[in-house]
Amino acid sequence: MKRSREEISSQILKICLDGAIKTKIVYQANLNFRTANSYLDILIKNQHLIETIQGEQILYKTTTKGENLLEWINKINDTLFQK
Protein backbone atom coordinates (compact mmCIF):
# COMPACT_ATOMS: atom_id res chain seq x y z
CA MET A 1 0.00 0.00 0.00
CA LYS A 2 1.28 3.45 -0.89
CA ARG A 3 2.14 5.85 1.90
CA SER A 4 0.73 9.35 1.97
CA ARG A 5 2.89 12.44 1.67
CA GLU A 6 2.01 13.29 5.27
CA GLU A 7 3.17 9.88 6.48
CA ILE A 8 6.49 10.13 4.64
CA SER A 9 7.02 13.71 5.81
CA SER A 10 6.30 12.79 9.42
CA GLN A 11 8.72 9.85 9.22
CA ILE A 12 11.46 12.15 7.93
CA LEU A 13 10.75 14.74 10.63
CA LYS A 14 10.88 12.03 13.29
CA ILE A 15 14.16 10.62 11.98
CA CYS A 16 15.69 14.12 11.95
CA LEU A 17 14.70 15.09 15.52
CA ASP A 18 18.27 14.52 16.74
CA GLY A 19 19.84 15.20 13.36
CA ALA A 20 20.45 12.71 10.56
CA ILE A 21 22.48 12.38 7.40
CA LYS A 22 20.69 11.72 4.11
CA THR A 23 21.70 8.04 4.02
CA LYS A 24 20.09 7.43 7.41
CA ILE A 25 16.91 9.16 6.27
CA VAL A 26 16.77 7.11 3.05
CA TYR A 27 17.21 3.78 4.82
CA GLN A 28 15.03 4.42 7.87
CA ALA A 29 12.17 5.95 5.87
CA ASN A 30 12.53 3.28 3.16
CA LEU A 31 12.94 5.79 0.32
CA ASN A 32 15.25 6.15 -2.65
CA PHE A 33 17.56 9.14 -2.89
CA ARG A 34 15.51 10.90 -5.59
CA THR A 35 12.34 10.75 -3.49
CA ALA A 36 14.20 11.72 -0.32
CA ASN A 37 15.72 14.75 -2.06
CA SER A 38 12.32 16.07 -3.11
CA TYR A 39 10.89 15.68 0.41
CA LEU A 40 13.97 17.24 2.01
CA ASP A 41 13.75 20.19 -0.39
CA ILE A 42 10.09 20.80 0.49
CA LEU A 43 10.65 20.43 4.24
CA ILE A 44 13.64 22.81 4.13
CA LYS A 45 11.77 25.33 1.96
CA ASN A 46 8.90 25.37 4.48
CA GLN A 47 11.34 25.68 7.41
CA HIS A 48 10.47 22.30 8.93
CA LEU A 49 14.08 21.12 8.53
CA ILE A 50 17.43 22.86 8.50
CA GLU A 51 20.73 21.75 6.99
CA THR A 52 23.86 22.01 9.08
CA ILE A 53 27.39 20.97 8.23
CA GLN A 54 29.08 18.58 10.63
CA GLY A 55 32.59 17.79 9.54
CA GLU A 56 32.26 16.82 5.90
CA GLN A 57 28.62 15.73 6.12
CA ILE A 58 25.34 17.57 5.81
CA LEU A 59 23.11 16.95 8.79
CA TYR A 60 19.35 17.50 8.60
CA LYS A 61 17.62 18.60 11.80
CA THR A 62 13.95 19.10 12.57
CA THR A 63 13.14 22.70 13.54
CA THR A 64 10.65 23.81 16.17
CA LYS A 65 8.18 24.46 13.36
CA GLY A 66 8.79 20.90 12.13
CA GLU A 67 8.28 19.50 15.63
CA ASN A 68 4.95 21.33 15.83
CA LEU A 69 3.92 19.89 12.45
CA LEU A 70 4.91 16.40 13.58
CA GLU A 71 2.86 16.82 16.75
CA TRP A 72 -0.20 17.93 14.73
CA ILE A 73 0.12 15.02 12.32
CA ASN A 74 0.31 12.60 15.25
CA LYS A 75 -2.75 14.17 16.90
CA ILE A 76 -4.76 13.95 13.68
CA ASN A 77 -3.75 10.31 13.17
CA ASP A 78 -4.64 9.50 16.79
CA THR A 79 -8.05 11.10 16.34
CA LEU A 80 -8.76 9.40 13.01
CA PHE A 81 -7.47 5.96 13.94
CA GLN A 82 -8.40 5.54 17.59
CA LYS A 83 -8.47 1.97 18.79
Side-chain angles (χ1 to χ4, degrees), residues 3-32:
R3 294 178 288 172
S4 68
R5 290 184 298 184
E6 294 80 13
E7 187 175 357
I8 294 170
S9 296
S10 69
Q11 280 185 310
I12 293 172
L13 291 171
K14 195 179 304 180
I15 292 165
C16 295
L17 282 171
D18 295 321
I21 59 172
K22 192 181 295 184
T23 304
K24 180 178 179 179
I25 297 165
V26 166
Y27 285 108
Q28 286 191 358
N30 195 24
L31 301 169
N32 60 48

Side-chain angles (χ1 to χ4, degrees), residues 8 10 35 49-51 57 74 79 83:
I8 294 170
S10 69
T35 304
L49 285 179
I50 57 168
E51 287 179 312
Q57 295 181 323
N74 289 335
T79 302
K83 294 181 181 179

Side-chain angles (χ1 to χ4, degrees), residues 39-65:
Y39 277 93
L40 291 171
D41 290 344
I42 290 167
L43 291 168
I44 290 167
K45 178 183 172 202
N46 291 310
Q47 300 173 343
H48 296 118
L49 285 179
I50 57 168
E51 287 179 312
T52 59
I53 296 175
Q54 187 175 31
E56 294 182 11
Q57 295 181 323
I58 297 175
L59 197 67
Y60 297 90
K61 177 120 175 66
T62 304
T63 63
T64 304
K65 186 175 177 182

Side-chain angles (χ1 to χ4, degrees), residues 6-7 10 14 68-83:
E6 294 80 13
E7 187 175 357
S10 69
K14 195 179 304 180
N68 292 336
L69 176 62
L70 183 57
E71 189 177 317
W72 277 106
I73 291 170
N74 289 335
K75 284 181 184 180
I76 291 168
N77 284 334
D78 290 346
T79 302
L80 289 173
F81 305 108
Q82 288 180 351
K83 294 181 181 179

